[in-house]
Amino acid sequence: MNKQLAKIYKPGIVKFALNIWPPFWGAGIRILRISDDFRTVDMKLKLRWWNKNANRTQYGGSIFSLTDPVYSLMLMGILGEEYYVWDKEASINFIKPGQSDLFAQFEITQAMLDEIYAVTRHGDKCFPEFIIHVKDAKGTVVSEVHRKLYVRKKPKYRQQLEEQQQS
């Protein structure tokens, strides 16, 4: 995230922007809530005629998209402009058909952040992993999504750390 974006990167603005972002809007994805500290996000995938598959259930691509940039965006809000945060890899396990609206909850704990800070403290790369359980309206898990991210301090901040250590 650059310095300009960091100034306006607030939960309310991120929620509004993503809720009108064409890939989310078109897929029927909606952010219901982002906590003030970016540590929790609740999302919904509405079942609509245009995101149903041939079996009349939730299209798998929409389910996958429901989880796509969320952890990266959360960490960008938490870590700020000093860090690069990217999705590195992801996989999905479809457990049962999604026959209703679907929901996903995302959470970043203090323990997860402590590990990220510890690994990246001296400029190393960190690859935190997250599992998201996408649930139907009854709370039944319909898919499990595994996401791995890439997190690293930007060179400018790694260099500042090296200079501090040398003095």
Side-chain angles (χ1 to χ4, degrees):
M1 172 181 342
N2 65 38
K3 216 172 239 191
Q4 304 293 13
L5 182 58
K7 290 178 184 177
I8 63 165
Y9 202 84
K10 308 288 182 226
I13 293 170
V14 172
K15 178 182 173 187
F16 173 77
L18 288 175
N19 280 337
I20 64 168
W21 187 43
F24 270 15
W25 180 82
I29 296 169
R30 184 147 187 82
I31 295 178
L32 303 174
R33 187 181 71 82
I34 301 177
S35 66
D36 290 339
D37 59 3
F38 281 102
R39 291 190 186 198
T40 59
V41 173
D42 297 325
M43 297 184 62
K44 176 181 181 177
L45 171 58
K46 188 145 182 69
L47 180 61
R48 296 190 170 140
W49 66 267
W50 65 79
N51 66 0
K52 290 180 181 177
N53 61 26
N55 295 312
R56 313 296 295 152
T57 61
Q58 286 281 11
Y59 172 64
S62 295
I63 296 171
F64 200 58
S65 293
L66 174 66
T67 69
D68 189 13
V70 181
Y71 275 114
S72 290
L73 296 174
M74 291 169 73
L75 281 173
M76 287 170 65
I78 294 168
L79 301 174
E81 65 182 89
E82 291 185 25
Y83 288 83
Y84 289 121
V85 181
W86 289 303
D87 276 310
K88 181 168 174 40
E89 58 184 72
S91 63
I92 188 166
N93 177 21
F94 296 105
I95 297 168
K96 65 179 288 186
Q99 299 176 324
S100 68
D101 294 349
L102 300 179
F103 301 88
Q105 295 181 314
F106 304 79
E107 181 181 15
I108 297 177
T109 65
Q110 187 60 48
M112 292 172 182
L113 290 174
D114 291 344
E115 182 177 344
I116 291 168
Y117 288 129
V119 171
T120 61
R121 180 175 299 127
H122 300 292
D124 292 331
K125 301 170 190 172
C126 182
F127 302 103
E129 297 185 34
F130 303 92
I131 295 175
I132 305 106
H133 293 104
V134 179
K135 299 178 180 180
D136 65 15
K138 295 177 183 175
T140 305
V141 175
V142 299
S143 68
E144 183 178 272
V145 181
H146 179 262
R147 293 206 161 266
K148 181 188 280 189
L149 276 58
Y150 167 99
V151 180
R152 189 174 191 192
K153 279 194 174 207
K154 292 180 179 177
K156 171 177 142 180
Y157 297 100
R158 294 192 305 254
Q159 193 172 24
Q160 287 175 355
L161 180 65
E162 289 171 12
E163 291 169 2
Q164 289 172 353
Q165 289 173 341
Q166 291 173 357
S167 48

